[in-house]
């Protein structure tokens, strides 16, 4: 007799996990948005724009870290190019935001300001439908998924893995960055997209819209964690970890690793793209620097610091690293990259299982 779907869903997390998730939801979906929107600025309980924006941005990073964990921690595929999927989602949504400016730009034209400056006479064909919110949501998912599926199919079919796969993904990201830097591609060149005004007709800088974007980021993070947990506790997840540990044995048992690896790779890319689409309206800009190789390496660092193959570990890693980054870029602007590198080295040498692994060892010693 098959277990009902509701029972299987509730068994994804232990009771303590559901309690923690409910507490997180209450804080991010209710408490913080209410304190931001309805509490006066001069009240000590007011949550500022800076806190809401920083929190939303870090939660977007956490989604990307979980997406990285799905392919690296559970499938053993280290990608150093996930920044390209994050940026593609951001650019797809950025096109919609640029169209929403309308004639309020500097040149009062229906074309984006950078196109007027470069003497464009009409929108390129690939901007068609970019003023539609639903079409934009489709592009956010479809474009990164198509790129990931094509790239992954040929890479996995050729049995490319390990450091060679990592290098190829890094080359893919670098090539995409060079492409988007060019003015004639129609994506704003070096400056990218900025000066956003509205989403669905609502002011993008209003407290209400900031609170909505913050809550959507939190909701997407929770859904990503639940999806990852459900998948990794299912038969699919067990086969995926078996491919990570002994791919040849899995093939001998009759499974085709290509299908499993390609699915999780494409899903991971789509999650990164959604995170990018949520990230752009909160920070107010998207440019080719989001595709830099350093950004993709940072994603791997978040996952390693928190702990691979744990799901919650990458979230912790993304929060810790980015909060530290926010502090060090202000306190030590010339040396923060050295702090980041030292953190990664220390984790690799003394905490190979990340923060979560360290906590588990401490807890086990306490019980002993």
């Amino acid at each position: 007799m098959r277990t009902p779907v509701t029972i299987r869903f509730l068994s994804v997390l232990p009771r303590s996990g559901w309690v923690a998730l409910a507490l997180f939801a209450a804080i991010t979906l209710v408490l913080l948005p209410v304190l931001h929107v309805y509490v006066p600025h001069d009240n000590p309980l007011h949550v500022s724009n800076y806190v809401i924006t920083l929190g939303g941005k870090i939660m977007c990073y956490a989604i990307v870290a979980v997406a990285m964990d799905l392919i690296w921690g559970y499938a053993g595929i280290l990608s150093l190019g996930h920044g390209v999927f994050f940026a593609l989602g951001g650019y797809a949504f950025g096109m919609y935001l640029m169209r929403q400016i309308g004639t309020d730009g500097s040149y009062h034209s229906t074309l984006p300001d950078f196109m007027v400056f470069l003497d464009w006479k009409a929108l390129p064909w690939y901007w068609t439908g970019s003023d539609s919110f639903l079409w934009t949501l489709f592009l956010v998912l479809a474009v990164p998924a198509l790129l990931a599926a094509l790239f992954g199919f040929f890479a996995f079919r050729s049995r490319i893995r390990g450091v060679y796969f990592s290098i190829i993904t890094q080359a893919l990201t670098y090539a995409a960055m060079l492409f988007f830097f060019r003015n004639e591609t129609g994506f704003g060149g070096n400056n990218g997209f900025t000066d956003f005004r509205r989403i669905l007709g609502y002011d993008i800088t209003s407290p209400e819209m900031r609170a909505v974007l913050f809550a959507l980021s939190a909701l997407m993070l929770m859904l990503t964690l639940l999806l990852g947990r459900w998948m990794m506790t299912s038969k699919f997840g067990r086969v995926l970890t078996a491919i990570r540990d002994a791919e040849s044995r899995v093939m001998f048992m009759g499974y085709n690793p290509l299908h499993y690896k390609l699915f999780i790779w494409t899903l991971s890319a789509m999650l990164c793209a959604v995170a990018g689409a949520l990230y752009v309206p909160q920070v107010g800009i998207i440019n080719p620097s989001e595709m830099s190789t350093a950004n993709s390496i940072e994603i791997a660092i978040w996952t390693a610091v928190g702990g691979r193959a744990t799901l919650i570990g990458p979230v912790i890693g993304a929060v810790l690293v980015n909060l530290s980054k926010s502090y060090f870029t202000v306190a030590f602007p010339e040396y923060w990259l050295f702090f980041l590198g030292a953190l990664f080295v220390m984790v690799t040498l003394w905490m190979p299982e990340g923060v979560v692994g360290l906590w588990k060892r401490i807890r086990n010693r306490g019980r002993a």
Side-chain angles (χ1 to χ4, degrees):
M1 183 176 179
R2 298 186 62 181
T3 307
V5 176
T6 54
I7 300 299
R8 281 187 290 166
F9 177 74
L10 291 175
S11 63
V12 166
L13 293 176
R15 180 178 298 179
S16 59
W18 284 113
V19 170
L21 193 67
L23 181 62
F24 178 77
I27 293 173
T28 57
L29 302 183
V30 179
L31 180 61
L32 293 180
V34 167
L35 293 178
H36 174 63
V37 175
Y38 296 107
V39 175
H41 289 73
D42 55 353
N43 192 301
L45 294 178
H46 174 74
V47 177
S48 66
N49 291 340
Y50 173 78
V51 172
I52 287 292
T53 301
L54 179 62
K57 182 174 72 171
I58 290 179
M59 284 190 289
C60 291
Y61 288 154
I63 296 170
V64 178
V66 174
M68 169 65 81
D69 192 36
L70 292 177
I71 61 164
W72 187 23
Y74 291 97
I77 305 169
L78 174 57
S79 168
L80 296 181
H82 256 41
V84 70
F85 304 123
F86 180 80
L88 284 176
Y91 267 101
F93 200 74
M95 291 165 66
Y96 167 78
L97 294 174
M98 293 299 290
R99 294 294 302 279
Q100 287 291 293
I101 296 174
T103 57
D104 293 341
S106 301
Y107 298 99
H108 305 290
S109 170
T110 56
L111 295 177
D113 283 348
F114 72 89
M115 289 187 180
V116 178
F117 179 77
L118 295 173
D119 201 29
W120 289 61
K121 303 303 181 184
L123 289 169
W125 64 267
Y126 44 85
W127 279 71
T128 303
S130 56
D131 56 341
S132 168
F133 185 76
L134 293 179
W135 176 249
T136 297
L137 295 183
F138 172 76
L139 288 181
V140 167
L141 295 173
V143 173
L146 180 61
L147 176 62
L150 289 175
F151 176 84
F153 175 78
F154 290 108
F156 298 140
R157 190 183 67 167
S158 302
R159 304 289 301 276
I160 299 174
R161 49 188 168 181
V163 66
Y164 302 103
F165 185 86
S166 302
I167 292 173
I168 291 175
T169 55
Q170 195 170 57
L172 172 70
T173 303
Y174 189 69
M177 182 181 69
L178 294 180
F179 175 80
F180 276 81
F181 262 124
R182 301 175 65 88
N183 287 326
E184 61 268 26
T185 57
F187 293 106
N190 181 58
N191 296 321
F193 301 154
T194 189
D195 195 30
F196 308 133
R197 305 292 177 86
R198 288 176 289 272
I199 298 179
L200 294 173
Y202 295 98
D203 183 7
I204 198 172
T205 61
S206 67
E208 293 80 7
M209 182 54 68
R210 290 183 184 275
V212 168
L213 292 170
F214 176 85
L216 286 175
S217 301
L219 183 61
M220 186 61 201
L221 176 57
M222 289 187 287
L223 292 176
T224 302
L225 287 171
L226 287 174
L227 175 63
R229 178 71 176 178
W230 178 73
M231 291 178 60
M232 294 309 129
T233 54
S234 66
K235 178 183 176 182
F236 175 87
R238 292 192 292 272
V239 174
L240 198 65
T241 53
I243 292 172
R244 176 196 65 189
D245 297 333
E247 184 172 343
S248 298
R249 293 185 181 182
V250 173
M251 294 176 63
F252 180 76
M253 294 173 64
Y255 292 95
N256 187 349
L258 172 63
H259 300 154
Y260 289 87
K261 293 164 75 173
L262 185 60
F263 176 81
I264 199 66
W265 167 258
T266 306
L267 176 63
S268 178
M270 293 171 69
L271 291 174
C272 285
V274 173
L278 288 168
Y279 171 87
V280 167
Q282 295 185 82
V283 300
I285 189 171
I286 178 68
N287 58 45
S289 64
E290 294 294 341
M291 299 183 188
S292 68
T293 54
N295 283 6
S296 294
I297 293 173
E298 270 195 59
I299 297 172
I301 292 176
W302 303 338
T303 308
V305 168
R308 290 188 294 153
T310 60
L311 290 179
I312 192 62
V315 176
I316 296 173
V319 172
L320 289 177
V321 173
N322 283 286
L323 286 179
S324 301
K325 181 179 176 181
S326 297
Y327 170 75
F328 286 130
T329 50
V330 175
F332 309 98
E334 297 180 359
Y335 304 103
W336 73 268
L337 278 175
F338 295 99
F339 287 111
L340 184 64
L343 176 64
F344 186 59
V345 171
M346 287 189 294
V347 168
T348 304
L349 292 177
W350 294 300
M351 291 192 303
E353 297 177 350
V355 174
V356 171
L358 177 63
W359 166 249
K360 288 181 178 179
R361 289 201 303 269
I362 294 173
R363 186 180 60 182
N364 292 336
R365 287 179 184 176
R367 289 177 177 176

